Amino acid sequence: MAGDADCSTDMRGDHSKDNGEVSAVKDEILENENDLKQTLCGKPPRHLSIVRHSMSTVTLVSPTDSVDYDLGGTGIRSPSDVKSSFLPVFRSGSCAEKGPKPSMEDVHVCIDNLPQYLGEVADVPSPGAFYGVFDGHGGIDAASFIKDKLLQFIVEDSCYPVCLERAIKSAFLKADYAFADDSSLDISSGTTVLTAFISGRKMIVANAGDCRAVLGKRGRAIEMSRDHKPNYTSERIRIEKLGGAIYDGYLNGQLSVSRALGDWHMKGPKGSASPLSAEPELQEMLLTEDDEFLILGCDGLWEVMSSQCAVTMARKELMLHNDPERCSRELVREALKRDTCDNLTVVVICFSPDPPPRIEIAPTRVRRSISAEALNLLKGALEGN
């Protein structure tokens, strides 16, 4: 619930592994946790004057059972011959609020039943879904245009559906070019783009910009995208190789992201390499019964909340009422309490009709008090994730 801003609870843990390493990791986590708690005592929430929601449901039929997947860019892949009878059920909810900004430049899309939405327009090999968050800047033209056109470019690509990854990457670039060709729009406006395309149990998250996708996996936060900021090492190297510069964290002194669609006043001729890239980075995985929900959020959420805290809060909400729409609303309200300075858009996608189960931890003789967030961070450290 929103009132549980510290995202904490008493837990019991088994510390049978290397005690020295675990103790050091735990001490660091608890120290960071104390620092985090200082930021959680925010002011009362702002008046929620502009709130929009959407929610719908669809059940998937039997999916492909042998697809390799990557857990949030960790490089850990499952055996391709693992069989599973898991059948995801998509239930999504969204909430958008302009926050302290004078206008709303975010848009989003939630399509739980992709075959029904597309009809006979495209060949959909299995039931699927499509979600996206588009964080506009310099006006809303780019965000609105890309939201309306991107899915069309994906399903019309020659690589679709045989090679969905190539189709998605190609669609981002085609949508960017199409926007530049529309003389009725302000092509100097731009937008970051974050999408999740799900076909059967195969999910591909594509990101260009600083929106973020976070998977809730039995209470643990698995980041399915990487924020594209100019100061990040790999992005800085790419920018500088292409003749760009970074001033006080801004690309060419103008933009706080290193990848975006639109912003054609900062790009060269079509097809030429530009420090501001429209090419997305992709993360692919195969959904299992451990994957409970996915959060798509613009940077207005992640500027004031960690990925793990968002997952912990969302899981508590879903255990309470099992409603992804209310869950997205509470995440937005919590971000407002923490004085976010940006527009807010949050989409929550559940993969089961049931609420997340309570996590049972075997009791030991030694009772320890540790927050759920710190416990999941500790597990991740021990498992090398």
Side-chain angles (χ1 to χ4, degrees), residues 287-318:
L287 293 171
T288 71
E289 45 276 309
D290 285 341
D291 303 313
E292 298 169 333
F293 55 87
L294 181 72
I295 302 173
L296 304 181
C298 66
D299 63 319
L301 175 69
W302 309 116
E303 286 174 355
V304 295
M305 189 179 300
S306 70
S307 297
Q308 182 60 60
C309 190
V311 165
T312 301
M313 181 178 174
R315 198 172 197 275
K316 284 183 179 180
E317 288 290 328
L318 291 171

Side-chain angles (χ1 to χ4, degrees), residues 215-235:
L215 180 72
K217 191 179 187 72
R218 292 292 181 182
R220 286 183 54 201
I222 306 294
E223 293 185 351
M224 295 296 297
S225 65
R226 184 170 65 98
D227 302 348
H228 294 134
K229 294 289 190 181
N231 277 334
Y232 290 0
T233 303
S234 60
E235 291 295 282

Side-chain angles (χ1 to χ4, degrees), residues 329-340:
R329 188 187 313 161
E330 291 304 320
L331 286 170
V332 166
R333 286 177 174 169
E334 181 63 26
L336 288 170
K337 287 182 182 179
R338 301 183 183 198
D339 292 326
T340 184

Side-chain angles (χ1 to χ4, degrees), residues 61-118:
V61 298
S62 181
T64 303
D65 287 320
S66 58
V67 181
D68 287 343
Y69 65 98
D70 178 59
L71 295 180
T74 62
I76 300 175
R77 303 182 71 85
S78 68
S80 60
D81 58 350
V82 172
K83 302 293 182 180
S84 173
S85 60
F86 174 64
L87 299 177
V89 175
F90 293 165
R91 300 180 298 120
S92 68
S94 64
C95 180
E97 155 66 34
K98 72 182 182 70
K101 287 291 189 73
S103 62
M104 184 63 169
E105 295 180 316
D106 290 359
V107 294
H108 64 281
V109 60
C110 296
I111 303 173
D112 291 332
N113 191 330
L114 196 54
Q116 183 181 53
Y117 178 85
L118 293 174

Side-chain angles (χ1 to χ4, degrees), residues 102-271:
S103 62
M104 184 63 169
E105 295 180 316
D106 290 359
V107 294
H108 64 281
V109 60
C110 296
I111 303 173
D112 291 332
N113 191 330
L114 196 54
Q116 183 181 53
Y117 178 85
L118 293 174
E120 299 180 356
V121 174
D123 176 24
V124 182
S126 63
F130 181 76
Y131 307 95
V133 173
F134 309 81
D135 185 350
H137 50 264
I140 200 171
D141 281 3
S144 296
F145 181 90
I146 301 301
K147 182 201 76 135
D148 293 339
K149 299 293 185 180
L150 185 60
L151 180 59
Q152 175 187 343
F153 282 117
I154 293 174
V155 299
E156 291 180 354
D157 191 85
S158 60
C159 293
Y160 179 88
V162 177
C163 186
L164 187 53
E165 297 85 351
R166 286 187 181 180
I168 292 173
K169 280 193 174 185
S170 175
F172 270 63
L173 299 179
K174 288 178 181 177
D176 194 31
Y177 293 163
F179 174 67
D181 290 336
D182 195 323
S183 59
S184 66
L185 300 174
D186 180 6
I187 62 172
S188 67
S189 66
T191 184
T192 63
V193 180
L194 172 67
T195 64
F197 194 113
I198 311 176
S199 179
R201 289 165 51 209
K202 181 179 180 179
M203 179 171 74
I204 299 177
V205 174
N207 181 54
D210 58 359
C211 292
R212 189 185 305 170
V214 181
L215 180 72
K217 191 179 187 72
R218 292 292 181 182
R220 286 183 54 201
I222 306 294
E223 293 185 351
M224 295 296 297
S225 65
R226 184 170 65 98
D227 302 348
H228 294 134
K229 294 289 190 181
N231 277 334
Y232 290 0
T233 303
S234 60
E235 291 295 282
R236 177 178 54 78
I237 293 173
R238 180 184 63 79
I239 289 169
E240 292 175 349
K241 281 184 177 180
L242 294 171
I246 301 168
Y247 303 101
D248 197 24
Y250 286 78
L251 173 59
N252 291 342
Q254 300 180 61
L255 202 59
S256 63
V257 293
S258 55
R259 302 197 190 198
L261 280 67
D263 294 299
W264 277 95
H265 63 294
M266 296 182 63
K267 295 176 179 175
K270 292 179 186 176

